[in-house]
Amino acid sequence: MQDRLQALKEEALLKIEQASDLKALQDVKVSYLGKKGPITEVLKGMGKLSPEERPVVGAYANEVRDAITSALESKVAELEQAVIEEKLKKESIDVTLPGRPVRQGNAHPLTAVIEEIEDLFLTMGFTVAEGPEVETDYYNFEALNLPKDHPARDMQDSFFITEDILLRTQTSPVQARTMEKHHGRGPVKIISPGKVYRRDDDDATHSHQFMQIEGLVVEENVRLSDLKGVLETFAKKMFGEDRKIRLRPSFFPFTEPSVEMDISCFKCGGKGCSICKHTGWIEILGAGMVHPNVLEMAGFDSKKYTGFAFGMGPERIAMLKYGIDDIRHFYTNDLRFLKQFKKA
């Protein structure tokens, strides 16, 4: 019986050594160590042995089992390692190859213009103030000298959420809120950039959502000449040092007097071209001296304090600065358009 076990051991070890894959090893395991394998069959005949022979044969049978099991485990590890090495050869990476360049993004042209404007006014001592885009009727209109029955409200078709809540039509509410926080004490010197909303039909020059930057200065003895100086500095820094400005009378409910500011055309130098519509001037923004009613409603003594305010559309400035002919380009996320401003 021991001879038979020895023969089975040698036979199994040879087949294990010759196995070329994991399936062949599994077949060897089942054939020799399974319940119906030859080793089990040999052990079934132990009942015919004498009591003295049984423990000897049993011990030897366990040795055979252990030897075959150990050989199987070693061969499995060897074949698995070979599989890994073969896979590594096929999927190897040449680390000496140069990496693929990662494209670096760039600021959206509208963001670039807004940040340029902010940086300019920060150097003039202004601070940046922000406020809610969902606004109350009071701050959006009434606090800016636009009572409920004022005809100038018709100039701003609005997205009302309730009778008293709407999407702000301008960033002017930030001015009213900021003045309130000062409790009637100056100075106030802010710009307020942000999104605003109006019920416009979208076309090349109009959008239901657009950006706006407004500025406000409230202090003692502020004059219209101070406003002109600030706007002239802005025009020269944004469009060139040789730019000239002119102020035309206008009307805004929250300023008195009110003006529109034009700059001399940066394309033709004032001679007349398609950009300035052959006038030599380009309209840029609206401005004026803060209306006494606005100051009083915000808690300021209009006999002691005066101020000026201005408002501009960054889209218009970006369109002029970069020669963009359609405001919708800013919002369609067309990479063909955006890639043109990599250095903007």
Side-chain angles (χ1 to χ4, degrees):
M1 192 171 286
Q2 284 181 292
D3 292 341
R4 174 60 177 156
L5 288 172
Q6 178 64 26
L8 289 173
K9 173 184 174 183
E10 293 174 358
E11 184 180 309
L13 293 178
L14 179 61
K15 289 186 177 181
I16 291 172
E17 183 63 30
Q18 294 174 343
S20 59
D21 55 46
L22 295 174
K23 183 180 181 305
L25 282 179
Q26 181 64 21
D27 290 343
V28 172
K29 181 179 180 180
V30 172
S31 297
Y32 288 89
L33 300 181
K35 292 181 179 180
K36 297 180 180 180
I39 295 177
T40 303
E41 290 297 324
V42 171
L43 294 177
K44 287 180 180 178
M46 287 182 62
K48 298 177 182 180
L49 298 176
S50 65
E52 292 81 12
E53 291 178 312
R54 287 176 193 168
V56 175
V57 174
Y60 189 70
N62 288 334
E63 289 180 11
V64 171
R65 281 180 178 275
D66 292 343
I68 295 173
T69 300
S70 178
L72 282 168
E73 291 175 350
S74 297
K75 191 65 177 180
V76 166
E78 179 185 326
L79 291 177
E80 287 180 342
Q81 182 63 32
V83 170
I84 293 172
E85 290 176 359
E86 183 65 24
K87 191 174 183 181
L88 287 174
K89 287 179 182 179
K90 292 180 179 179
E91 299 178 2
S92 62
I93 299 173
D94 186 353
V95 295
T96 64
L97 283 172
R100 294 183 178 89
V102 178
R103 293 181 182 177
Q104 187 173 3
N106 54 278
H108 189 283
L110 195 54
T111 301
V113 166
I114 292 171
E115 290 178 348
E116 185 178 357
I117 294 171
E118 288 178 346
D119 290 343
L120 171 58
F121 280 101
L122 288 173
T123 62
M124 290 192 281
F126 286 75
T127 58
V128 177
E130 297 180 336
E133 294 177 21
V134 179
E135 191 53 275
T136 64
D137 182 274
Y138 174 78
Y139 284 111
N140 196 78
F141 292 120
E142 293 183 46
L144 303 173
N145 202 35
L146 280 160
K148 290 188 181 296
D149 58 350
H150 200 292
R153 286 197 181 202
D154 296 337
M155 298 165 61
Q156 301 181 20
D157 287 342
S158 311
F159 290 105
F160 274 90
I161 299 170
T162 69
E163 187 175 341
D164 295 311
I165 303 293
L166 72 157
L167 298 180
R168 67 183 181 187
T169 60
Q170 54 205 354
T171 57
S172 304
V174 180
Q175 299 182 24
R177 289 177 177 274
T178 301
M179 284 192 289
E180 278 190 357
K181 291 177 182 177
H182 279 254
H183 303 291
R185 294 188 296 274
V188 178
K189 198 172 185 181
I190 63 164
I191 56 169
S192 51
K195 291 193 287 289
V196 298
Y197 308 85
R198 297 183 187 178
R199 291 184 61 228
D200 272 329
D201 293 327
D202 289 4
D203 57 29
T205 57
H206 298 85
S207 174
H208 65 280
Q209 171 197 297
F210 55 97
M211 298 296 294
Q212 195 175 67
I213 297 179
E214 296 193 8
L216 171 70
V217 173
V218 176
E219 202 169 351
E220 295 183 40
N221 302 317
V222 174
R223 300 179 294 273
L224 187 63
S225 57
D226 298 318
L227 169 62
K228 182 182 178 183
V230 168
L231 297 182
E232 192 165 29
T233 299
F234 162 75
K236 289 181 180 295
K237 294 297 183 183
M238 284 297 295
F239 298 102
E241 290 295 331
D242 55 346
R243 294 282 68 73
K244 296 178 181 179
I245 71 167
R246 73 177 183 183
L247 302 180
R248 294 179 287 106
S250 187
F251 167 76
F252 303 108
F254 29 82
T255 53
E256 181 61 38
S258 303
V259 296
E260 298 275 2
M261 186 189 89
D262 303 330
I263 62 169
S264 56
C265 183
F266 50 83
K267 182 71 173 180
C268 65
K271 297 177 182 179
C273 66
S274 59
I275 290 180
C276 62
K277 299 179 181 178
H278 302 283
T279 65
W281 296 92
I282 300 173
E283 181 183 328
I284 293 294
L285 55 81
M289 301 302 292
V290 179
H291 198 291
N293 290 351
V294 175
L295 291 171
E296 294 288 344
M297 281 188 284
F300 281 82
D301 183 352
S302 60
K303 293 183 175 59
K304 180 180 179 182
Y305 288 98
T306 53
F308 63 76
F310 54 86
M312 66 188 79
E315 285 93 344
R316 175 165 175 74
I317 293 172
M319 291 172 77
L320 291 169
K321 194 174 178 70
Y322 300 129
I324 299 168
D325 60 1
D326 195 323
I327 193 174
R328 290 170 291 193
H329 290 320
F330 291 121
Y331 302 109
T332 54
N333 296 323
D334 190 331
L335 290 178
R336 295 171 299 177
F337 169 74
L338 297 175
K339 286 178 179 178
Q340 299 177 59
F341 302 93
K342 195 169 184 63
K343 297 181 180 179

